[in-house]
Amino acid sequence: MSTVLAFVLGVVLTVAAIPVVRWVNEWRDRARNSASLQDSRVTTVSQVLHLVVQGAPTAITVVDRAGEVILSNSRAHEMAIVHDRTLNPEVWVVGQEVFEDLETRTIDLAMPRRSTGNRVSDVKALIKPLTLVDNYFIIVYGTDESENVRMESARRDFVANVSHELKTPVGGMSLLAEALLQDPNDPDMVEYFGNKLLNESHRMAELITELISLSKLQGAEALPEMMPVKVDEVIDEAMSRNQISADNAGIKLTRGDRTGVEVMGDRPMLVMAVSNLISNAVNYSSESQPVSITQKIVRENVILIRVTDRGIGIEPENQKRVFERFFRVDKARSRQTGGTGLGLAIVKHVVANHSGNIKLWSRPGTGSTFTIELPIYVPEPEPEQLELLEEDDQPSTPTFREAVTRATARRKEKEKQ
């Protein structure tokens, strides 16, 4: 009897002890976590300074007179100011001069292209004494100037190209005007040079117009309000704009089947983009060679607009540059056709502003195909259409377009009743 009583008492005590043991374990875990958090907290000025230096967007490096790196952060390594605890040799040459006269100096560093994914290509390093009390340490601050250098280079190239392109028609107009003034009483000379002068003025006006269009597309100016645009109508108008020039060149413009697809966009911009592609195809095609404009729906939500020519084609090394401003595949042919070299650059920015993409396929001697990819616009159904769709008890699941069409027909039947 006493054995059974002892057993029962042991069970009761064990059950009663379980909550106590659980509470002790939880308390111990909380105490351990609290101690861990307490250890990771920033409690000293040295910890604050360390985090400030390591998290700074600027490269920071401290060097002593022997050239040994005392302190550096991750940005200093990314900008190649420090590599394997060794200071960049170019920086060290300037740093020795700073040790001598305690004067602050700056140096521009051009980084070699590396395959590690580091995009830093240009760095400005400022080198100064750590203190003016002694000259035992210098500090190097580095800033990433890659984007500024790239933008400045693009700006210089753009200004130089614009100046060159404007100088050509202006110089031609000046010479033609002088020729007219030399013998203004000769009707044949007046007509000949007058027509030449008119053509040069049109060329300059076209260049200025395209520069303005490109500036709007690249600038901060807000785009017009987007609205549904029919792709068929865009292609029709773009072909109409180029029909005369195609006829004069003996080139036939052909188009593929209509799709009835709409895209969300600005109609004049889209027409300008497709028109530029057609004009480019006509200018670089041989006589009697057709230029085709086709459409294709892919992935059910993307429309492809293709402009294909059978012209001179584009060399592989030039295919990546055709969308650059003022780049021309054949400069002699561009001068003959009056091209500005801005057409494809405008196409690229128009497509980008419509959340699209443009691709090029070309083979020298065979021809080229420019493909514009744009997202298809699908209108949201009206509330009445949604109600009718919910009431639809067809066993098969219709497509969205079929459902909207059927709902619209049913609404009209109800209105007749």
Side-chain angles (χ1 to χ4, degrees):
M1 185 70 179
S2 61
T3 304
V4 174
L5 182 62
F7 174 77
V8 172
L9 182 60
V11 171
V12 171
L13 291 175
T14 302
V15 172
I18 290 176
V20 176
V21 172
R22 184 180 300 169
W23 179 85
V24 170
N25 289 334
E26 290 178 355
W27 177 84
R28 185 184 301 163
D29 291 339
R30 286 197 299 268
R32 189 177 300 162
N33 292 336
S34 177
S36 177
L37 290 174
Q38 188 71 24
D39 293 340
S40 63
R41 287 178 182 173
V42 179
T43 57
T44 64
V45 175
S46 62
Q47 290 176 321
V48 172
L49 293 177
H50 175 77
L51 292 175
V52 168
V53 171
Q54 294 301 323
T58 301
I60 300 176
T61 307
V62 177
V63 185
D64 64 12
R65 289 192 66 90
E68 183 179 351
V69 176
I70 306 301
L71 172 69
S72 64
N73 62 359
S74 59
R75 290 294 286 166
H77 293 264
E78 291 175 8
M79 298 184 191
I81 293 176
V82 177
H83 180 65
D84 289 338
R85 303 293 300 173
T86 303
L87 188 66
N88 185 300
E90 296 181 53
V91 177
W92 176 235
V93 170
V94 179
Q96 290 175 309
E97 298 176 2
V98 174
F99 274 121
E100 296 300 324
D101 56 17
L102 300 181
E103 294 291 334
T104 301
R105 288 178 172 81
T106 60
I107 180 175
D108 294 323
L109 303 174
M111 300 293 101
R113 293 292 181 183
R114 293 175 289 183
S115 59
T116 58
N118 191 350
R119 296 185 178 182
V120 179
S121 59
D122 295 272
V123 174
K124 181 181 288 295
L126 185 146
I127 309 164
K128 60 184 296 185
L130 183 61
T131 69
L132 295 178
V133 178
D134 59 53
N135 60 350
Y136 195 74
F137 297 102
I138 59 172
I139 185 167
V140 182
Y141 298 101
T143 55
D144 183 4
E145 300 292 325
S146 305
E147 185 65 16
N148 293 335
V149 171
R150 188 189 68 80
M151 292 297 293
E152 180 62 22
S153 176
R155 185 193 65 80
R156 286 197 304 268
D157 291 343
F158 183 70
V159 171
N161 288 331
V162 169
S163 301
H164 174 74
E165 295 295 331
L166 288 175
K167 185 174 69 174
T168 301
V170 169
M173 292 170 67
S174 177
L175 292 174
L176 292 170
E178 290 179 4
L180 279 174
L181 292 174
Q182 287 179 359
D183 195 358
N185 296 321
D186 187 345
D188 294 335
M189 294 288 288
V190 170
E191 182 179 1
Y192 176 78
F193 287 112
N195 287 331
K196 291 286 187 180
L197 187 61
L198 183 62
N199 291 336
E200 289 296 322
S201 66
H202 286 165
R203 180 184 175 189
M204 186 166 66
E206 182 182 359
L207 176 60
I208 293 173
T209 300
E210 292 196 346
L211 281 171
I212 293 173
S213 299
L214 188 60
S215 176
K216 289 181 178 179
L217 290 169
Q218 291 182 292
E221 183 174 339
L223 292 176
E225 183 177 355
M226 301 291 189
M227 59 187 307
V229 179
K230 293 183 178 180
V231 176
D232 292 329
E233 295 179 357
V234 170
I235 294 177
D236 288 340
E237 186 172 345
M239 292 179 64
S240 176
R241 290 187 182 185
N242 291 276
Q243 191 62 57
I244 295 178
S245 61
D247 292 341
N248 292 336
I251 293 173
K252 183 180 180 181
L253 299 181
T254 62
R255 65 166 300 161
D257 297 334
R258 297 174 177 269
T259 60
V261 165
E262 291 183 331
V263 297
M264 184 64 71
D266 177 71
R267 179 190 171 104
M269 283 189 181
L270 291 173
V271 171
M272 177 172 58
V274 178
S275 177
N276 284 352
L277 290 182
I278 297 175
S279 174
N280 194 68
V282 169
N283 290 338
Y284 287 91
S285 294
S286 303
E287 187 176 355
S288 75
Q289 294 295 332
V291 171
S292 60
I293 303 94
T294 59
Q295 303 176 62
K296 182 180 180 181
I297 298 175
V298 296
R299 301 189 297 275
E300 298 183 356
N301 59 353
V302 174
I303 180 73
L304 304 182
I305 305 173
R306 292 193 176 108
V307 178
T308 303
D309 65 68
R310 293 160 182 81
I312 62 174
I314 304 171
E315 296 290 342
E317 60 269 19
N318 291 330
Q319 291 182 15
K320 293 183 179 180
R321 299 191 59 197
V322 294
F323 297 104
E324 295 179 7
R325 295 166 295 191
F326 299 111
F327 179 79
R328 295 181 177 91
V329 175
D330 187 340
K331 295 183 179 180
R333 186 184 290 261
S334 296
R335 284 194 293 269
Q336 292 176 354
T337 59
T340 62
L342 294 173
L344 292 179
I346 290 175
V347 173
K348 175 184 175 182
H349 288 285
V350 168
V351 173
N353 287 336
H354 285 78
S355 302
N357 189 25
I358 184 164
K359 296 180 179 179
L360 165 65
W361 175 92
S362 185
R363 180 179 296 169
T366 301
S368 305
T369 297
F370 287 87
T371 303
I372 294 177
E373 299 181 358
L374 294 174
I376 295 175
Y377 168 71
V378 180
E380 293 291 337
E382 299 177 2
E384 295 180 3
Q385 293 175 334
L386 287 175
E387 292 177 4
L388 293 173
L389 286 174
E390 291 175 356
E391 297 173 1
D392 195 352
D393 56 354
Q394 293 294 328
S396 59
T397 303
T399 63
F400 178 80
R401 189 180 298 277
E402 291 173 349
V404 172
T405 303
R406 186 162 59 247
T408 303
R410 290 178 59 181
R411 184 181 62 181
K412 290 182 179 179
E413 290 178 2
K414 286 186 177 182
E415 291 176 354
K416 289 180 181 179
Q417 293 174 357

